[in-house]
Amino acid sequence: MSAWLANHFFNPGFVAGGALLVALPIAIHLINRVQYRRVRFAAMEFLLQSQKRNQRRLLLEQLLLLLLRILIVIGLVLLISRLILNPAQMSIFRGAQTHHLVLIDDSLSMKERWEDTSGFEQAIKVVNQIAAGGAQQPNTQKLTLLRLSQPEQPFFVERNVNEDFVAELLAKLDPQTFKCTNQSLDLTTGLLEAKKFFAEDNGNIHHLHVISDFRERDWRDQKAITSAIEGLAENGVSVNLVRAVPEAHANLTVVELTGDIQVAAVDVPLRMRVTVKNNGSQVASNVRLSVSDNNNKLPTSVLLEKIEPQTEVTQEFEIRLATPSTHKIRVSLDSDALSEDNDRSIAVDVPQAVSVLLVDGDSSGDAASYIADAIAADPKATGYLATIESVEALRRRPLDGFACIYLINVPELPADSIDALERYVADGGGLAWFVGESIRPAHYNSELYRNGTGLFPIPLESAPKELILDPTSPGADILTSKHPLFRIFAGEDNALVKLVRIFQFMPAAKDWVRDDQVRMDRVQTMASLRSKDPLFLEHRFGKGRVITCLTTAQPDWNNWATDNSFVVVQLELVKSLARTDRIPEQRQVGEPIVLALDPAEYSDSVEIETPGEEGDRMTRLQASPESAGETGGQGHSGDGTLTQGIEAPVANEGSLNLRAVFRNTDQPGVYTVRLLKQSQASEERLIAFNTAPGEGELALATSADLRKRMGNASGATIQEFGRLDWVEGREAGSEIRQWLLWLLGTLFVLEQALAYKLSYHPPQAVKTLKFSE
């Protein structure tokens, strides 16, 4: 109730006392009706009978007179207390001590530009005007300023608002130094922090001013925001939502940049994919993107002829990278309302060639040669380097240097080779199986399948099976899925798939359920035979992927190895299996770089090269020791900035690790982390930071939608863009006071007229004149 009074009266303290005055005319009315001792005499009997006939009329007139007097008292109380029917008109600066907490949204979408301003610049202007309005009543107003990006670290805390503070605020909120971030932020976090501030501040009138763009995407099914506002209103906080953007403007966003970077190689065409979304309401035509490598613009460009409103379009393109090193690839659109989401970056580690290990169970290596010819007949054209080895190679050479490994017609594997393969795949490597005459199904079932926990996906029958040719059914032997592996067979009535004939295959065990939907395990059927038996299977093992083909790689059980489609499928197979765990990371801006280093391998010296508008900048960190399991940890940057550590996995419990955290990742682009090993060799890690694609969705939530979604948060008001009368000291409620004065005047006249009518007025004495005769 106190919050409601504060929001509807300039002088709420007079309301309670005025309510007691309403009892005054009632008491007078009751006193006048006190009955005295009755004395009966004849003359009064006649008068009483006359009074009874008029008693009901007199009672109604007296009650009407009482009502008029009560309304007069109420009107006077409302006039003195200065009633405001619309809380939005209430002046935020009153004589009482008031605490204004300003929460300014500094998320990326606030950088939307129109004419010569932006949403964030308009937000700064509103903050300065709030302070200027409070300075008109110096030292009665307090101001706290929070940024949504760091709500737990106030920019100002409960500063007395006066002319000196206004000047200081104007200097410190310079858009050149007080900058908006490139991050996607959650308004709920800021509202909850504001609630904590107000909970520690007793005895003041509380105003929360949320200055934001109020995008539709932020309020869509966002119950947490509504709940936070309701909690503030219940605690007596007046929530004021202030718009900083008048309307949404047309905007294009680069939402994704990907490619086959796991198989990138020097001077080999690298296929990339870029996705652009049109967030506007009009069709975008002839949208062109430029492509750059290490900040050098490439002759390649991407043209999107048409993008419908609220639609994404993906376009493929190819680039050639000429040096075996790390490359920073960026695609860029022309400037629009939100230029910061027009770029997207990715880091590519380009080796001289992609190494593939082919393990052939036959010492002649004939089967593996078909795979080698398909993927690496000309390594300069495909970028693959195929190495054919026997099973013994799994024991004697390290496997981590290979992008993927083929096991072709391998009869069985020793236990130590199985362990090495399982570690390789679990860490992110790729494995392909091709069966043949030499394999021993019993060994595969017991040691490699292991009841569904091993590297092989299914249990096998004891012998291969022949696929009977049915002359009455001229359909293809292979039924493929939409997996990229079988892209060459895509399309209805594709003639290429009909040319592939499968004569024999290794069947799954009879009790193995063929239907993936019924079986519901980790194994997925990628292609099957017309007999409904599986031919290609895929499953995950740790971080890696395993693809199994139940026919031969050489033309023993099929004619596929002599068909041109075999080459295309094998090239796609390497892309699917090539390990991706070493691809440079991609993150959203604002996420910290957390480094947990083994001191036996790395020194405590860390360098981070950050992108910037004026060129790259180098920052040096010193990793500090931290015991396993601790979550504190801290490092120091070269400019003296303290960086707090956060929890990260460590290798061995109880061991001492080095940890450093770098948090200044607001600028989009590719960051280079340089580590110094104990051997004094340098190691580089690249991380691409990009903006959140959703920040480019600039559609605004209407005020009607905001009120509807806030529901019971009655203490919240919405200020439209450009309306500053609520902060400029405008005398609110002048209209209602005029009406109250006219109403009081009317009530006074009616009360006097009725009181006069009901009062007793004796007739004037008649003078008698006598005339003498």
CSV table of all heavy atoms in Angstrom, one decimal, residues 742-764:
chain,number,residue,atom,x,y,z
A,742,TRP,N,-12.6,22.6,-9.5
A,742,TRP,CA,-13.9,22.8,-10.0
A,742,TRP,C,-14.9,21.9,-9.2
A,742,TRP,O,-16.0,22.3,-8.9
A,742,TRP,CB,-14.0,22.4,-11.5
A,742,TRP,CG,-13.5,23.5,-12.4
A,742,TRP,CD1,-12.3,23.6,-13.0
A,742,TRP,CD2,-14.2,24.7,-12.7
A,742,TRP,NE1,-12.2,24.7,-13.7
A,742,TRP,CE2,-13.3,25.5,-13.6
A,742,TRP,CE3,-15.4,25.3,-12.3
A,742,TRP,CZ2,-13.7,26.7,-14.1
A,742,TRP,CZ3,-15.8,26.5,-12.8
A,742,TRP,CH2,-14.9,27.3,-13.7
A,743,LEU,N,-14.5,20.7,-8.9
A,743,LEU,CA,-15.4,19.8,-8.2
A,743,LEU,C,-15.7,20.3,-6.8
A,743,LEU,O,-16.8,20.3,-6.3
A,743,LEU,CB,-14.8,18.4,-8.1
A,743,LEU,CG,-15.6,17.3,-7.4
A,743,LEU,CD1,-17.0,17.1,-8.0
A,743,LEU,CD2,-14.8,16.0,-7.3
A,744,LEU,N,-14.6,20.8,-6.1
A,744,LEU,CA,-14.8,21.3,-4.7
A,744,LEU,C,-15.7,22.5,-4.7
A,744,LEU,O,-16.5,22.7,-3.8
A,744,LEU,CB,-13.4,21.6,-4.2
A,744,LEU,CG,-12.6,20.5,-3.6
A,744,LEU,CD1,-11.2,20.9,-3.2
A,744,LEU,CD2,-13.3,19.8,-2.4
A,745,GLY,N,-15.5,23.4,-5.7
A,745,GLY,CA,-16.3,24.6,-5.8
A,745,GLY,C,-17.8,24.2,-5.9
A,745,GLY,O,-18.7,24.7,-5.3
A,746,THR,N,-18.1,23.2,-6.8
A,746,THR,CA,-19.4,22.7,-7.0
A,746,THR,C,-20.0,22.1,-5.7
A,746,THR,O,-21.2,22.3,-5.3
A,746,THR,CB,-19.5,21.7,-8.1
A,746,THR,OG1,-18.9,22.3,-9.3
A,746,THR,CG2,-20.9,21.2,-8.4
A,747,LEU,N,-19.2,21.3,-5.0
A,747,LEU,CA,-19.6,20.6,-3.8
A,747,LEU,C,-19.9,21.7,-2.7
A,747,LEU,O,-20.9,21.5,-1.9
A,747,LEU,CB,-18.5,19.7,-3.3
A,747,LEU,CG,-18.4,18.4,-4.1
A,747,LEU,CD1,-17.2,17.6,-3.6
A,747,LEU,CD2,-19.6,17.5,-4.1
A,748,PHE,N,-19.1,22.7,-2.6
A,748,PHE,CA,-19.3,23.8,-1.6
A,748,PHE,C,-20.7,24.5,-1.9
A,748,PHE,O,-21.5,24.7,-0.9
A,748,PHE,CB,-18.2,24.8,-1.6
A,748,PHE,CG,-17.1,24.4,-0.7
A,748,PHE,CD1,-15.8,24.3,-1.2
A,748,PHE,CD2,-17.2,24.3,0.6
A,748,PHE,CE1,-14.7,23.9,-0.4
A,748,PHE,CE2,-16.2,24.0,1.5
A,748,PHE,CZ,-14.9,23.8,0.9
A,749,VAL,N,-21.0,24.8,-3.1
A,749,VAL,CA,-22.2,25.4,-3.5
A,749,VAL,C,-23.4,24.6,-3.1
A,749,VAL,O,-24.4,25.0,-2.5
A,749,VAL,CB,-22.2,25.8,-4.9
A,749,VAL,CG1,-23.6,26.3,-5.4
A,749,VAL,CG2,-21.2,26.9,-5.2
A,750,LEU,N,-23.3,23.3,-3.5
A,750,LEU,CA,-24.4,22.3,-3.2
A,750,LEU,C,-24.6,22.2,-1.7
A,750,LEU,O,-25.8,22.1,-1.2
A,750,LEU,CB,-24.2,21.0,-3.9
A,750,LEU,CG,-24.2,21.0,-5.4
A,750,LEU,CD1,-23.8,19.6,-6.0
A,750,LEU,CD2,-25.6,21.3,-5.9
A,751,GLU,N,-23.5,22.1,-1.0
A,751,GLU,CA,-23.6,21.9,0.5
A,751,GLU,C,-24.2,23.1,1.1
A,751,GLU,O,-25.1,22.9,2.0
A,751,GLU,CB,-22.2,21.6,1.0
A,751,GLU,CG,-22.1,21.2,2.5
A,751,GLU,CD,-22.1,22.3,3.4
A,751,GLU,OE1,-21.8,23.5,3.0
A,751,GLU,OE2,-22.5,22.1,4.6
A,752,GLN,N,-23.9,24.3,0.7
A,752,GLN,CA,-24.4,25.5,1.3
A,752,GLN,C,-25.9,25.6,1.0
A,752,GLN,O,-26.7,25.9,1.9
A,752,GLN,CB,-23.7,26.7,0.9
A,752,GLN,CG,-22.3,26.8,1.5
A,752,GLN,CD,-22.3,27.0,3.0
A,752,GLN,OE1,-23.1,27.9,3.5
A,752,GLN,NE2,-21.6,26.2,3.7
A,753,ALA,N,-26.2,25.3,-0.2
A,753,ALA,CA,-27.7,25.4,-0.6
A,753,ALA,C,-28.5,24.4,0.1
A,753,ALA,O,-29.6,24.7,0.6
A,753,ALA,CB,-27.8,25.1,-2.1
A,754,LEU,N,-28.0,23.1,0.2
A,754,LEU,CA,-28.8,22.1,1.0
A,754,LEU,C,-28.9,22.4,2.5
A,754,LEU,O,-29.9,22.2,3.1
A,754,LEU,CB,-28.2,20.8,0.7
A,754,LEU,CG,-29.0,19.6,1.2
A,754,LEU,CD1,-30.4,19.5,0.6
A,754,LEU,CD2,-28.3,18.3,0.9
A,755,ALA,N,-27.8,22.9,3.0
A,755,ALA,CA,-27.8,23.3,4.5
A,755,ALA,C,-28.7,24.4,4.8
A,755,ALA,O,-29.4,24.4,5.8
A,755,ALA,CB,-26.3,23.6,4.9
A,756,TYR,N,-28.8,25.4,3.8
A,756,TYR,CA,-29.7,26.5,4.0
A,756,TYR,C,-31.1,26.0,4.0
A,756,TYR,O,-32.0,26.4,4.8
A,756,TYR,CB,-29.4,27.5,3.0
A,756,TYR,CG,-30.4,28.7,3.1
A,756,TYR,CD1,-30.1,29.8,4.0
A,756,TYR,CD2,-31.5,28.8,2.3
A,756,TYR,CE1,-30.9,30.9,4.1
A,756,TYR,CE2,-32.4,29.9,2.4
A,756,TYR,CZ,-32.1,30.9,3.4
A,756,TYR,OH,-32.9,32.0,3.5
A,757,LYS,N,-31.4,25.1,3.0
A,757,LYS,CA,-32.8,24.6,2.9
A,757,LYS,C,-33.2,23.8,4.1
A,757,LYS,O,-34.4,23.9,4.5
A,757,LYS,CB,-32.8,23.7,1.6
A,757,LYS,CG,-34.2,23.1,1.3
A,757,LYS,CD,-34.2,22.3,0.1
A,757,LYS,CE,-35.6,21.7,-0.2
A,757,LYS,NZ,-36.1,20.9,0.8
A,758,LEU,N,-32.3,23.1,4.7
A,758,LEU,CA,-32.7,22.2,5.8
A,758,LEU,C,-32.6,22.9,7.2
A,758,LEU,O,-33.1,22.4,8.2
A,758,LEU,CB,-31.7,21.0,5.9
A,758,LEU,CG,-31.8,20.0,4.7
A,758,LEU,CD1,-30.8,18.9,4.9
A,758,LEU,CD2,-33.2,19.5,4.5
A,759,SER,N,-32.1,24.2,7.2
A,759,SER,CA,-32.1,24.9,8.5
A,759,SER,C,-33.4,25.6,8.7
A,759,SER,O,-34.2,25.8,7.8
A,759,SER,CB,-30.9,25.9,8.5
A,759,SER,OG,-31.1,26.8,7.4
A,760,TYR,N,-33.6,26.1,10.0
A,760,TYR,CA,-34.8,26.8,10.4
A,760,TYR,C,-34.6,28.3,10.2
A,760,TYR,O,-33.7,28.8,10.7
A,760,TYR,CB,-35.1,26.4,11.9
A,760,TYR,CG,-36.3,27.2,12.4
A,760,TYR,CD1,-37.6,26.9,11.9
A,760,TYR,CD2,-36.2,28.2,13.3
A,760,TYR,CE1,-38.7,27.6,12.4
A,760,TYR,CE2,-37.2,28.9,13.8
A,760,TYR,CZ,-38.5,28.6,13.3
A,760,TYR,OH,-39.6,29.3,13.8
A,761,HIS,N,-35.6,28.9,9.5
A,761,HIS,CA,-35.6,30.3,9.3
A,761,HIS,C,-37.0,30.9,9.8
A,761,HIS,O,-38.0,30.7,9.1
A,761,HIS,CB,-35.4,30.6,7.8
A,761,HIS,CG,-34.2,30.0,7.3
A,761,HIS,ND1,-32.9,30.6,7.5
A,761,HIS,CD2,-34.0,28.9,6.5
A,761,HIS,CE1,-32.0,29.8,6.9
A,761,HIS,NE2,-32.7,28.8,6.3
A,762,PRO,N,-37.0,31.5,11.0
A,762,PRO,CA,-38.3,32.1,11.5
A,762,PRO,C,-38.8,33.2,10.6
A,762,PRO,O,-38.1,34.0,10.1
A,762,PRO,CB,-38.0,32.6,12.9
A,762,PRO,CG,-36.5,32.8,12.8
A,762,PRO,CD,-35.9,31.8,11.9
A,763,PRO,N,-40.2,33.3,10.5
A,763,PRO,CA,-40.7,34.4,9.7
A,763,PRO,C,-40.5,35.8,10.3
A,763,PRO,O,-40.4,35.9,11.6
A,763,PRO,CB,-42.2,34.0,9.6
A,763,PRO,CG,-42.5,33.2,10.8
A,763,PRO,CD,-41.2,32.4,11.1
A,764,GLN,N,-40.4,36.8,9.5
A,764,GLN,CA,-40.2,38.1,10.1
A,764,GLN,C,-41.5,38.6,10.7
A,764,GLN,O,-42.6,38.3,10.2
A,764,GLN,CB,-39.7,39.1,9.0
A,764,GLN,CG,-38.3,38.7,8.4
A,764,GLN,CD,-37.9,39.7,7.4
A,764,GLN,OE1,-38.6,40.6,7.0
A,764,GLN,NE2,-36.6,39.5,6.9
